[in-house]
Amino acid sequence: MARLLGLHTFALAVLFCVASGQPCVPVYNTTSSRIEGKLNVHLVPHTHDDVGWLKTVDQYYFGSRQDIQLAGVQYVLDTVIPSLVANKDRSFIYGEIAFFVRWWFEQTDTIKDAVRQLVAEGRLEFVNGGYVQHDEAAAHYVAMIDQTTRGHRWLNATFGKLPTAGWQIDPFGHSSTHASLLCGYLGFDALFFGRADYQDMERRRKTKELELLWRGSASYGTEADVFTGNFADGNYNPPSGFNYDWGSWDRDNQIQDNVCLEEINVDERVEQFVQACKRLGNMTRGNDIMIPMGTDFTYSNAWPWFKNMDKLIHHTNLDGRINVLYSTPSQYVAAKHAYSTPWPLKTDDFFPYADCPTCYWTGYFTSRPTSKAWIRSSTSFLQAVRQLEFLTPLTLSQLKPASTSDVDSSLKLDKAPETVWEGSRQLAGEAAATPLIGPASDALEEVVSLLQHHDAITGTEKQHVANDYHRRLHAGLGKGIVVPVYNPLGWERQELVRVPISLAASKDWTVKGPDGKAVQSQILPTSSSTKRVQDAYISASLAHKHHAGEAELVFLASVPPLGYAVYSLDASSKRRAEGNAFVSLEQSWSDYRAATSELTEDLAIVANDDMVVKLGPTGQVTGIQDVSSGASVSLGLSLTAYNSSDALGPEPRKGPPAPPSGAYIFRPDGEKPSGDPLEARIAQGPVLTENRVVLEPWGEVTIRAVQGLSHLEIEWTVGPLPFKDGFGREVALRYTTNLTTGSTFYTDANGREMQKRERDHRPSWDLNVTQPVAGNYYPLTAAIYLEEPGFAQLGLITDRAQGGGSLRSGELEIMVHRRTMFDDERGVGEPINETLTGCFDCQAQGLIARGTHHLALKDTYSAATYRRTLQQRVNDPLVMIRLAHLFQVNESSLAHPVKVDLGALFEGFSFESAVELSLSGGKELSQVKRLSWQAGQDISKRGGADSSAGQRADSAASAAHTNFKVPPAYNLAEADR
């Protein structure tokens, strides 16, 4: 095997010192295992390979553009595998299946056999196992499951083995949905990560709570509890001085132990390592600690790593004070589980994340807003296409591949169906019962999975990488998929359809439904914000003026559950014919009010049968009322532009410089809220009513009430943000009401369950408020709401991931667009300065972003039902055979277990059997066996009070373990992005 792997077989030759006759170097003993009564140090060799960040995914894989970053993933795997084969004690873990699949299909059968053997022995261990290491703030839970499933299906088909540990070492905060759904419910025994708030970690280091039991969801009870480890340095690096990567060695960190040569440093190296381990041991319960040996894109030459780790294990174990061994997360978790002791319990999440008093990583919740919108809509589109493929199943004989090069010539029609991964040219045979996934949807699945990566959907990549992501997404969507008006949900729905039209040929249009009869429709003149967007694209030569629609034809489409409907739009030759679209007249607000003769009081407009909107003297909204419940609140809308801070630090200019706002960090330096509207216009008709308000030269808001819908659409158009004055702008849309909500509000966790938030408060520790705005921003993947108990709830559903919060009682604030002038010194090396032409260091016109908030006011008894249903309509078109309960525990009267009749759900299909699988489809659910853990004190309910629980509860786990003395000069933390 060694020869076939490219290794040279050789006889062991031991050099001897001529003077003493003793060996110059020892034969290294790396066969260590756990020793009771000693501090056991589990070395976990790993690499973290971003699937795009500073370089594109291809550049990272091939190792090109080394002028940007020294990184080449193919060489990592090329050298790690023979390094493992060379020593049976060595181990390695890997997580990014997007890269591993690429490498795998370039290997010979002999290499593949060697890898299979390493996996079977547990020496090559996959962690997470998703296509990418997804983000936990901006990614929707459906997309998180999908990208994980993509990786797990390949691992199961290739190795017959799935991961048992989560490895989210790089994301910038951690969600309860990931812990409960993508770890516990997925079948993982543990989760490990690097980043958590610096105040939180400072406390938990002292109380020995870096390792705990995380109960992310009350809805699952203890079923989804997951053992969670937070690396003590807040990152995922080896101790300072022990990075053995080729070309990036720290000073004097290699171990020099050839006694026939000079400058031997074994004693010095062992002493520094022992002290580092003792310091970590003082923060950890029990006699086992884990040290990640690697970081970003390390091991492109694995030999220096393993050679030095062999020496480190050998010489440190000879020293005898601690016991060092090669290990993996699963081996480490098994050691921890054997303690049979309670672990601190956490029931909240790890948002927001800050790594210094002025460094809140809450900007990325909104960074690259148009990219976030495109990814979200593509995710929803993918789910709908999958359902259509299932409802109209393809066979191999019917399937036309995107190109003949995409399909292996060995694929024959008499074989079992194959799964085609066009994006990675993967062909993996699966069971004959597995349905075929068509190349069109698979190409889209591949890129949608890719874009859940924590430097993709977050908007924290370089501009040229963002451009590459968008090119791939465009290609994934452009595979010839044709979808009619389709409803992927399990109930009938009515949705507003808006189609740009030209009035040059005809000013009369008719919309006909599936039965050929005319349906109510309305022609709306193009708004000033739409004209501004059109003009910007025309001036940038990105569109032709003939492509600009003069109006919109709007109508409500009724679509049956899991069904589709076809509507025809025709330019009518008959003026004012029955069934023609109603032509709306857009009026200025002053003209409209003059016609009503009500010049001073707020004007109540009956927007539709369900909502009443009140408008003030200048045309701005002043209040809304829900007709069915009678709930009524005052409401004000404004745009607030925060000035992005520079790199000089907060005012007054005292102390060290602080990072400016950038791709990751939001650090505002003053704000300018919009005043009275610059212009207000209104358009009414039988389908909808629009109140169009210009708040800034670069910012407009349209309040839209649609007949038959019990909520409002708030469409915002922001940009290009001014930049010639040298200041960045971070723009929030603010909703101000008279609801009495105090400091409490609620945000969603990845579109799944809602999390209670309190301003200037953290459940797990006593928060020192240093950034009253940025420190109170949370990720909004899909929703946020305010509630005055016993009266009303104001819920807001977003169409993309955004950041926001409630900075005052009765107020919501959602950041919608960002343009910064500086890099925030967290690694990406660029500001967020998006332009229409895709360059960031040019004078091109800035990007214009447009989106929609769905605003619903309901009484507290019916609010959850309406909000959840609305959220699913906007964000959650689920794959048909992945069933999810709509409500979390205690959220609604409907929040109780239900039985599902699969026969009724799949009417028209015949089934021989049904098997319940794990969440990623990798195993039968009955085969998933998880470790059971004991829960101790709930640190999320101690109100931030100081606690010595860590010292009190160390119990049997550390009875034989005493605190070690460590030289005070040793610094555990190592700076990194």
Side-chain angles (χ1 to χ4, degrees):
M1 181 182 293
R3 171 174 290 174
L4 292 171
L5 282 171
L7 304 174
H8 298 291
T9 56
F10 56 91
L12 179 63
V14 180
L15 298 177
F16 288 87
C17 179
V18 174
S20 65
Q22 298 297 316
C24 293
V25 293
V27 176
Y28 302 117
N29 180 8
T30 57
T31 59
S32 178
S33 58
R34 287 189 75 251
I35 299 177
E36 291 295 336
K38 276 192 176 182
L39 180 63
N40 292 281
V41 180
H42 297 248
L43 299 186
V44 178
H46 79 104
T47 178
H48 174 61
D49 298 338
D50 290 304
V51 190
W53 178 41
L54 307 183
K55 304 199 292 189
T56 69
V57 58
D58 286 351
Q59 290 168 351
Y60 271 136
Y61 180 73
F62 289 118
S64 58
R65 291 303 307 270
Q66 298 292 68
D67 57 311
I68 297 176
Q69 185 180 13
L70 294 173
V73 175
Q74 62 174 331
Y75 305 116
V76 173
L77 297 170
D78 281 346
T79 58
V80 162
I81 299 305
S83 296
L84 295 178
V85 172
N87 183 339
K88 64 180 179 61
D89 298 321
R90 294 171 177 171
S91 60
F92 193 79
I93 64 172
Y94 199 77
E96 289 79 15
I97 304 305
F99 279 135
F100 197 89
V101 165
R102 288 171 174 237
W103 177 84
W104 177 263
F105 286 101
E106 294 177 356
Q107 306 311 306
T108 64
D109 289 342
T110 303
I111 298 288
K112 291 179 180 179
D113 288 341
V115 173
R116 289 190 181 97
Q117 182 65 29
L118 291 170
V119 173
E121 294 171 354
R123 296 202 291 121
L124 176 60
E125 181 171 300
F126 291 99
V127 288
N128 261 2
Y131 200 62
V132 299
Q133 190 175 116
H134 58 232
D135 182 58
E136 298 184 43
H140 195 274
Y141 83 94
V142 172
M144 293 161 74
I145 296 171
D146 282 349
Q147 77 85 20
T148 303
T149 299
R150 186 174 181 86
H152 281 204
R153 287 183 64 186
W154 186 84
L155 288 173
N156 194 42
T158 307
F159 302 110
K161 200 170 185 178
L162 292 178
T164 60
W167 190 256
Q168 290 288 107
I169 56 176
D170 200 19
F172 329 121
H174 305 280
S175 80
S176 57
T177 291
H178 179 84
S180 60
L181 198 61
L182 274 300
C183 286
Y185 215 65
L186 192 65
F188 287 175
D189 293 318
L191 165 65
F192 295 95
F193 59 76
R195 307 180 196 278
D197 186 277
Y198 74 100
Q199 293 183 51
D200 179 25
M201 290 195 65
E202 182 179 356
R203 177 196 180 102
R204 289 189 292 115
R205 288 189 190 106
K206 295 176 181 177
T207 57
K208 296 189 177 183
E209 293 172 342
L210 292 172
E211 294 178 334
L212 46 82
L213 193 62
W214 192 359
R215 184 173 298 161
S217 169
S219 299
Y220 298 116
T222 61
E223 186 178 356
D225 289 359
V226 62
F227 178 81
T228 302
N230 181 182
F231 295 136
D233 66 349
N235 227 294
Y236 44 91
N237 307 317
S240 180
F242 294 88
N243 182 339
Y244 300 119
D245 211 46
W246 184 257
S248 60
W249 282 337
D250 295 334
R251 183 178 180 181
D252 296 330
N253 71 346
Q254 62 270 29
I255 298 176
Q256 300 164 197
D257 61 349
N258 188 325
V259 296
C260 299
L261 303 177
E262 298 181 2
E263 300 184 12
I264 307 304
N265 65 358
V266 172
D267 292 344
E268 170 194 328
R269 297 279 75 210
V270 168
E271 183 63 27
Q272 184 174 350
F273 186 71
V274 168
Q275 297 306 324
C277 293
K278 287 183 176 181
R279 185 177 181 97
L280 180 56
N282 287 338
M283 305 175 192
T284 309
R285 300 185 183 204
N287 287 330
D288 292 87
I289 62 173
M290 178 197 290
I291 294 184
M293 295 298 290
T295 187
D296 291 358
F297 298 99
T298 47
Y299 291 81
S300 56
N301 184 346
W303 297 106
W305 276 99
F306 283 108
K307 186 171 184 177
N308 278 277
M309 284 188 289
D310 285 353
K311 295 180 179 183
L312 187 63
I313 292 171
H314 175 83
H315 290 295
T316 305
N317 288 346
L318 284 179
D319 175 83
R321 286 175 287 174
I322 62 176
N323 179 53
V324 188
L325 64 151
Y326 280 117
S327 188
T328 64
S330 64
Q331 294 173 24
Y332 179 74
V333 170
K336 290 289 183 177
H337 184 259
Y339 295 173
S340 297
T341 188
W343 294 91
L345 179 67
K346 184 176 178 67
T347 54
D348 59 320
D349 63 5
F350 290 91
F351 284 117
Y353 165 61
D355 61 9
C356 84
T358 56
C359 313
Y360 277 88
W361 295 41
T362 54
Y364 82 92
F365 298 160
T366 301
S367 294
R368 303 193 190 277
T370 56
S371 178
K372 283 179 166 66
W374 199 13
I375 295 170
R376 175 64 57 79
S377 63
S378 298
T379 302
S380 299
F381 187 55
L382 173 62
Q383 313 311 318
V385 172
R386 282 172 167 169
Q387 291 188 12
L388 286 173
E389 286 184 335
F390 178 82
L391 293 169
T392 57
L394 297 174
T395 65
L396 285 174
S397 58
Q398 294 171 315
L399 179 65
K400 182 180 179 181
S403 67
T404 54
S405 63
D406 291 336
V407 180
D408 193 304
S409 60
S410 64
L411 188 63
K412 303 298 183 181
L413 296 184
D414 57 352
K415 283 193 171 186
E418 308 279 333
T419 298
V420 182
W421 281 17
E422 185 185 17
S424 55
R425 299 297 189 267
Q426 183 259 4
L427 292 168
E430 294 190 356
T434 303
L436 178 68
I437 299 177
S441 66
D442 191 79
L444 181 57
E445 180 193 275
E446 193 273 339
V447 70
V448 168
S449 296
L450 181 73
L451 287 168
Q452 305 312 311
H453 167 55
H454 58 268
D455 280 311
I457 196 171
T458 55
T460 55
E461 71 277 32
K462 281 186 177 292
Q463 184 63 53
H464 80 102
V465 180
N467 296 342
D468 182 68
Y469 285 143
H470 297 161
R471 178 188 61 78
R472 292 172 183 273
L473 187 54
H474 180 268
L477 287 166
K479 294 293 182 179
I481 302 172
V482 178
V483 180
V485 181
Y486 174 67
N487 177 16
L489 298 181
W491 57 81
E492 184 177 2
R493 64 194 290 187
Q494 279 194 324
E495 291 296 337
L496 182 68
V497 178
R498 302 167 60 189
V499 182
I501 60 171
S502 172
L503 301 179
S506 175
K507 298 184 184 301
D508 294 278
W509 287 75
T510 302
V511 178
K512 294 181 180 180
D515 57 2
K517 296 180 180 180
V519 300
Q520 184 71 67
S521 57
Q522 180 179 342
I523 294 175
L524 282 170
T526 299
S527 66
S528 61
S529 62
T530 298
K531 290 176 182 176
R532 189 161 56 84
V533 174
Q534 292 172 342
D535 291 344
Y537 277 84
I538 292 169
S539 65
S541 300
L542 299 174
H544 194 276
K545 62 181 180 179
H546 297 308
H547 296 155
E550 305 162 63
E552 283 184 307
L553 182 60
V554 299
F555 63 96
L556 280 172
S558 297
V559 194
L562 297 175
Y564 68 93
V566 177
Y567 288 80
S568 61
L569 283 60
D570 300 305
S572 176
S573 59
K574 297 181 180 180
R575 297 296 304 274
R576 300 189 179 90
E578 183 178 356
N580 279 7
F582 178 89
V583 180
S584 299
L585 294 178
E586 185 186 50
Q587 295 177 277
S588 70
W589 180 242
S590 58
D591 289 345
Y592 184 84
R593 282 189 63 84
T596 67
S597 72
E598 297 183 39
L599 302 179
T600 56
E601 299 295 327
D602 288 356
L603 186 62
I605 296 178
V606 181
N608 59 32
D609 295 336
D610 301 294
M611 296 291 295
V612 174
V613 179
K614 296 180 180 180
L615 303 177
T618 58
Q620 79 278 26
V621 62
T622 60
I624 59 173
Q625 180 181 4
D626 176 56
V627 174
S628 61
S629 67
S632 178
V633 298
S634 65
L635 176 67
L637 298 181
S638 61
L639 287 171
T640 294
Y642 289 103
N643 287 329
S644 299
S645 57
D646 55 26
L648 299 178
E651 295 284 1
R653 306 297 191 193
K654 296 179 180 179
S661 280
Y664 302 91
I665 291 174
F666 171 38
R667 187 165 72 85
D669 185 13
E671 63 175 287
K672 180 183 177 296
S674 59
D676 289 337
L678 304 179
E679 180 186 22
R681 304 184 70 82
I682 190 167
Q684 288 183 299
V687 178
L688 58 81
T689 297
E690 287 191 349
N691 174 224
R692 301 168 172 180
V693 183
V694 179
L695 294 173
E696 295 282 2
W698 42 260
E700 300 161 50
V701 174
T702 295
I703 299 96
R704 182 179 300 117
V706 182
Q707 283 293 343
L709 303 183
S710 298
H711 62 276
L712 298 176
E713 292 185 0
I714 312 297
E715 182 182 87
W716 49 269
T717 305
V718 175
L721 298 178
F723 74 105
K724 292 185 179 180
D725 58 2
F727 290 100
R729 301 289 195 284
E730 299 173 80
V731 178
L733 180 54
R734 188 172 286 169
Y735 298 79
T736 304
T737 76
N738 62 345
L739 289 173
T740 303
T741 60
S743 61
T744 302
F745 59 104
Y746 299 81
T747 68
D748 73 297
N750 307 106
R752 194 70 185 123
E753 300 199 346
M754 302 301 293
Q755 299 276 119
K756 182 179 179 180
R757 308 295 190 187
E758 291 188 50
R759 188 167 54 255
D760 296 335
H761 175 76
R762 301 292 186 267
S764 302
W765 78 93
D766 187 10
L767 176 68
N768 177 25
V769 180
T770 57
Q771 290 285 292
V773 176
N776 284 301
Y777 261 52
Y778 289 87
L780 316 177
T781 314
I784 183 173
Y785 73 83
L786 293 172
E787 181 172 281
E788 182 175 329
F791 173 53
Q793 182 185 114
L794 184 72
L796 186 149
I797 309 300
T798 66
D799 63 351
R800 70 199 70 190
Q802 295 178 311
S806 176
L807 302 183
R808 284 167 283 273
S809 177
E811 185 175 281
L812 291 176
E813 177 172 309
I814 320 297
M815 185 176 289
V816 296
H817 202 359
R818 310 181 72 223
R819 191 180 192 186
T820 71
M821 296 292 102
F822 299 95
D823 171 57
D824 56 14
E825 303 168 7
R826 289 305 182 271
V828 74
E830 292 179 359
I832 290 291
N833 184 19
E834 293 186 284
T835 64
L836 285 176
T837 56
C839 61
F840 81 95
D841 55 352
C842 59
Q843 298 299 307
Q845 190 171 5
L847 191 68
I848 301 175
R850 169 178 281 182
T852 302
H853 293 160
H854 302 261
L855 194 69
L857 176 69
K858 297 292 176 182
D859 62 71
T860 54
Y861 305 103
S862 62
T865 301
Y866 191 85
R867 173 175 43 78
R868 282 291 186 178
T869 305
L870 177 59
Q871 182 177 325
Q872 191 168 15
R873 288 170 60 170
V874 174
N875 288 303
D876 299 356
L878 297 178
V879 174
M880 182 180 299
I881 55 175
R882 183 185 294 143
L883 304 177
H885 204 298
L886 202 59
F887 299 97
Q888 69 193 70
V889 66
N890 299 326
E891 183 180 28
S892 162
S893 60
L894 300 176
H896 53 77
V898 296
K899 293 183 178 180
V900 178
D901 183 350
L902 294 180
L905 186 63
F906 299 116
E907 186 175 358
F909 292 82
S910 60
F911 297 92
E912 294 182 359
S913 63
V915 178
E916 191 173 6
L917 302 176
S918 63
L919 189 62
S920 64
K923 288 183 178 180
E924 292 187 14
L925 194 60
S926 60
Q927 297 177 352
V928 176
K929 308 297 182 184
R930 298 184 65 232
L931 298 177
S932 178
W933 301 84
Q934 299 179 44
Q937 180 193 23
D938 188 347
I939 65 174
S940 301
K941 294 182 179 179
R942 58 191 180 195
D946 288 334
S947 169
S948 58
Q951 287 81 359
R952 293 197 308 267
D954 220 358
S955 67
S958 56
H961 170 53
T962 56
N963 283 347
F964 299 102
K965 293 182 179 180
V966 183
Y970 178 73
N971 182 13
L972 179 71
E974 180 176 72
D976 194 18
R977 74 174 178 91

